[in-house]
Amino acid sequence: DTLVIEVCEDAWDEQAVDGVTSGVDAVTKKVGTNSAKLAIAAGAVAGILASEAISSTNGSRYNYLRAWVYSTIGVAAGALQILLDNTANCASPLETLDIPALTAATWLRVELPLANPGSDLAIISVGIKQVTDLGAFDLYIDDVRLNKTYNRGYPLYGAFNGVALQLRVRNETALDANGAFSSDFRIREAS
């Protein structure tokens, strides 16, 4: 269950930021025709690099932000953030989400848990913030959306050997490397 926040088919130009040129790129993209491209000059300071005005969006039913991110340089975890705000220009973000470490010239699909989804009632601005000055580089972002986690049924098989319960899960739904699940279950003696 997803809600598209920004398709990234046009420049993120809600505000002009010194040292940042916002545009689009039809070559370095992940979804659709373009990605939003931010060309950051060496003189750009820490702070908001760009933001994009979006239609008012109620994100309160969702608990993760998912987006594609690409950098021309390696970036440490938390050095860049995605912002969601109910005010223009991401002036007072409702959500400030740390982007994990980025490997140079490699797309990464980030999945970032929302801190306060119940407060995300009227999001009108999405942005990128540079926490520390990273120098000159290009940053691309594509397909920003909110996602729900949801429960699926997974068959559990187990045996009790008198000391320990051993369970096995058959992955019929093809969990990926970062997939996870939790389960509540009751144990009863077979009759």
Side-chain angles (χ1 to χ4, degrees):
D1 205 7
T2 67
L3 174 66
V4 175
I5 292 289
E6 171 58 15
V7 293
C8 304
E9 293 294 322
D10 61 345
W12 284 23
D13 57 3
E14 182 180 30
Q15 58 184 301
V17 177
D18 288 340
V20 180
T21 303
S22 183
V24 294
D25 194 292
V27 176
T28 307
K29 62 184 175 71
K30 199 65 178 168
V31 177
T33 305
N34 298 312
S35 66
K37 177 184 179 184
L38 304 177
I40 296 97
V45 297
I48 295 175
L49 296 174
S51 63
E52 178 72 343
I54 61 173
S55 297
S56 183
T57 301
N58 181 350
S60 64
R61 297 179 347 145
Y62 300 87
N63 52 8
Y64 275 84
L65 179 135
R66 187 178 280 174
W68 287 101
V69 182
Y70 178 105
S71 173
T72 55
I73 63 169
V75 177
L80 294 171
Q81 298 171 326
I82 296 177
L83 310 174
L84 298 176
D85 204 343
N86 61 350
T87 58
N89 299 318
C90 286
S92 57
L94 295 171
E95 298 282 352
T96 301
L97 309 169
D98 288 346
I99 296 175
L102 300 174
T103 302
T106 303
W107 279 105
L108 178 65
R109 185 176 191 181
V110 299
E111 293 190 14
L112 310 172
L114 300 175
N116 302 298
S119 300
D120 300 339
L121 299 174
I123 299 166
I124 62 167
S125 183
V126 59
I128 296 287
K129 179 179 178 181
Q130 177 177 240
V131 177
T132 57
D133 186 354
L134 299 172
F137 70 106
D138 292 338
L139 182 71
Y140 303 80
I141 188 162
D142 209 352
D143 193 43
V144 181
R145 54 183 66 223
L146 296 177
N147 284 74
K148 280 187 199 178
T149 57
Y150 54 94
N151 297 323
R152 284 190 180 156
Y154 294 95
L156 294 174
Y157 305 92
F160 182 66
N161 65 9
V163 177
L165 177 64
Q166 300 172 350
L167 294 175
R168 229 180 36 218
V169 177
R170 188 170 64 214
N171 186 7
E172 293 178 343
T173 56
L175 289 173
D176 63 18
N178 296 317
F181 75 96
S182 64
S183 178
D184 296 324
F185 59 90
R186 290 181 292 173
I187 299 173
R188 64 178 170 83
E189 186 175 345
S191 49

